[in-house]
Every structure is written in C-alpha cells, then in structure tokens.
Amino acid sequence: MAAIDTIRKRYQAAGQDHLFAFFPKLSDEERSAFIRQLESIDVDRVNKIYKKAVEAEKEIADPKYVADTIEPLPVDACESVVNNPSNESKWRQAGLEAITRGEVGVLLMAGGQGTRLGSSAPKGCYDIGLPSHKSLFQYQAERIARLQTVAEATYNKPKGSVVIPWYVMTSGPTRKETETFFANHKHFGLDPKNVIIFEQGTLPCLTMDGKIMLETTSRVAVAPDGNGGLYAATRSPLSPSDKSRSVLTDLSSRGVLYVHAYCVDNCLVKVADPVFLGYCITKQADCAAKVVPKTSPSESVGVVARRGDKFSVVEYSEITKDQAELRNPNTGELISFESELAFHIARKKIPTIDLETGAVIKPSKPNGMKLELFVFDVFPFTKRFAVLEVARNEEFSPLKNAPGTGSDDPDTSRRDLLAQHRRFLEQAGASVRDGVEIELSPLVTYAGEGLDSVKGRTFTKSGHVENVEELDALL
C-alpha cells in the first residue's frame, strides 16, 4: 500500500486526486491496472501542458494581442528541384553518400487508422487498388530495399552492406496489428532487426478547467498526443524490460546523423529521398521540409511561411483570403506561408463518468479537451531551417478521404502512382499505349532508374512487374 499512498500524494499535490473517487470499490485486478496507468502518467507535466496551452490561447484571444505578421518565405529560404537537374544531381550524390555511410534513418508516422476509408486497420495496411494489391507499408518497405541496392551499386559496396533503419511509430490502437502485419509479411523482405516498431505517447483527456477525466471508474481517459508526440516517443524505452534502449539510443548506436520523417498516407513519398537528404546536408540544415505549390488558394492544407522572424506552418484557417491568393510575381505560383504553433487544444465530446455516481456520461456537446502537438511545432526553434520545393505529381498524393470522393482518395492515389510509372517508362525511351496501365514494383525502380532496357519498346498490355525481365510479357 506504500506505493499507492505515494502515488495518491503525488496526485493530491497536483490537484488531481479526484481520480481516486472509486478506488475503494475496485477489485484487486482493477486496482492493479489503475495504479499502473497512474504511475505511467507524469501528472505534473500534464498540468504544465494544460496551463501553457490555455495561456497561449488566452493571449491570442486578447483584443490587445498583436500577432507577428505572416509573410511569404524569403526567396533565399527555398530552393526547388523542379526544372533544376544540375542541383538535383549534386544533392542526390551527397544523399547517396550519406546513405552508403550508414548515416540515414527513416521515421514513419503510422499511428492512424483507416476510419475514413472504411477500415479499422492501420492506414499503412490499406490497399489503394493497385494491380499488385500491395499495401502502403509494402510500397514504402520496398522503396527502402531498392534504395539500399542503388547505394550499394553506385559505390560498389557488397550486397546487404548498406542499411537504412526504419522506425515505425504506431499508436495504442494500431501497434499490435501493425506488428502482426509486418510479421505475417516477413517485414516485406527487410531484416527485422532494422525495422523498429514503437508507440507514440498519449495524454489524459481534460475537463475545460484542467481536471483529468475518467473513462471508467478504473481507467483514465487518454488520447494520442499528435504526430508531434514523436519527439517524446523517441526518448521513451522501446521495451519495458529494457529501459536503456530507445529510438534515440538506437539511432546513436548505429551512427545515424540524418532522419527522414514522413506520414504513411502519401503513396508517392520518396522514402529516405537522397535528393532531399543531400539538399539538407549541403545547406547544413537543422530541420527542413518539402513543399509543393497549392492547387488553388482555397485548398485545405497547411502552408509554409514566416511569422515574424521564425519559420513555421500556418493552418489554412489562419490565412486571410488576400494572403491566400498572393502569387510569386516571377513564377505566377501561389506563395507559401507558415507560423509558430505550440500545444493545440481540441475541444471534443469525450465519454466519461459522473464522479459522484459512477454513471456513464455520453455528452451531446464538447465537454473536455485533448491536447496534441504537431510534428512541425519544432520549426520555429530551429536555427537553420530549409525548404525544398518538389513536383507535386512526383511526390504528393495524400490518402485522406473515402473511396469515391474524387479528391485525395484511393482512386486518386492509384491514378497518380500509375501515372508516375508511365512517366518512368516514357522517360526511359519506351512508348505506352493509351489505356495501358503498368505498375512497376519499387524493387524495379526507385525514381525511374534502371530502365535502360525498355528504350525503343512499345507496351500494349497492362499488368504489374516485380523485375525488369517481366516487362517483356507486356509488349
């Protein structure tokens, strides 16, 4: 009972001892589970996060508050690979050299479920309807495998000597299924010891006045802490049995200096992109981001800009109509914007219980808040920040909406990926008949390389190939 008393005192000191209201009525099993959960929560940190988030929100809402001006990125802060082959080649070489030296790791943010897609499985398990029916996870794994092969071939390294470790951040609801999916698919050909699956953190749900909420009489209501939770998650132990090993210590032990972080739902993502890595290395950037031009001023995406003297990301809702429609006088393209953000409050309808009766409450309007961080919240704190513009049709096709929506859905993802593969073949000197769809495995080509043998050929049949030789059947 000494441990319980110590925990109770800690929560009393933090003003959160209401959580023990039903403790005397719990079974021994419920008490043990509840105590384990309470032990895992840093209640003082929760209070600090709440205080900081609320104060920041009040400051912005104050009529006397003067926000820093949101301005376009300075011209010298952003470079582009679009129609810039000389720089692209130089950056690719620098990136491949870093990969060959074992200095590059990849961090995948894959905590989301495919709820909007009609699936409860992790979004990375989703099949966008390609001829191969490969999942997003498999495509990304095979891109890593191909890039390792390209680096080995470019610098005459032995087969299997180049390793790009893959750190897969899941969430509570997706971790077990993700681990099972990877195991069942034999880690898609990657060495399991180089695929590290870990879990993003959670934060307790809070009432509007900062009190931690109960989901049941014996369990605190929690929610994922946002994709920005990766920073804390990389410091957390990978296993309860070995608290000395974390993602950060694993990166350090491998000698990894550069990490490419990305979200799971972009079928065109260039995992560990050597061009982007080389650009960052050349610029000596602490942190960098890829950007694409918006399709229209009203497109509902965050934008990169400068607020005051800091780089950050501005949500589309924060930008005025006039700002959204600003265009670069030289190129005619829409100008990008950005701002500083910290902890974010999301007021939600959170099921909880009555602290007096224990009755379940299913609210009809927001009764509490979830606090989260975004991965880009660190941007304003970097000393050397860089932005690289890339071609949208080559690198960005997000999967956000239900099938049949017509925008950012499985059909558009499939369309964009197969269109890219057609370009790969045509750029290598082949012709592809109208209506023919050919899927090239990432094991065949990462970014259009390795297709010299198709020059002068005409493809008349649809299908998917796992090696260059299989293309003969599609002539």
Side-chain angles (χ1 to χ4, degrees), residues 14 16 42-56 203 206 210 343 371:
Q16 302 284 6
D42 185 341
V43 67
D44 293 324
R45 174 174 174 263
V46 172
N47 283 349
K48 289 176 183 177
I49 288 173
Y50 167 78
K51 182 179 179 182
K52 180 179 177 181
V54 170
E55 287 177 350
L203 282 172
L206 305 176
F343 273 92
L371 296 167

Side-chain angles (χ1 to χ4, degrees), residues 286-328:
D286 299 322
C287 181
K290 284 186 179 182
V291 298
V292 295
K294 293 177 70 172
T295 56
S296 69
S298 60
E299 185 182 11
S300 299
V301 293
V303 289
V304 181
R306 189 170 65 176
R307 175 171 277 171
D309 61 352
K310 296 179 179 180
F311 296 99
S312 192
V313 170
V314 179
E315 291 296 334
Y316 59 90
S317 58
E318 295 183 72
I319 303 167
T320 66
K321 183 175 183 294
D322 289 341
Q323 288 174 327
E325 293 179 352
L326 281 175
R327 293 181 182 270
N328 185 312

Side-chain angles (χ1 to χ4, degrees), residues 209-249:
D209 58 357
K211 296 296 184 182
I212 294 175
M213 301 175 74
L214 285 170
E215 180 183 355
T216 69
T217 56
S218 60
R219 186 166 63 247
V220 171
V222 298
D225 54 5
N227 59 23
L230 75 88
Y231 302 112
T234 57
R235 299 193 302 269
S236 300
L238 287 170
S239 168
S241 60
D242 183 7
K243 296 191 175 183
S244 66
R245 184 169 174 252
S246 65
V247 169
L248 287 183
T249 62

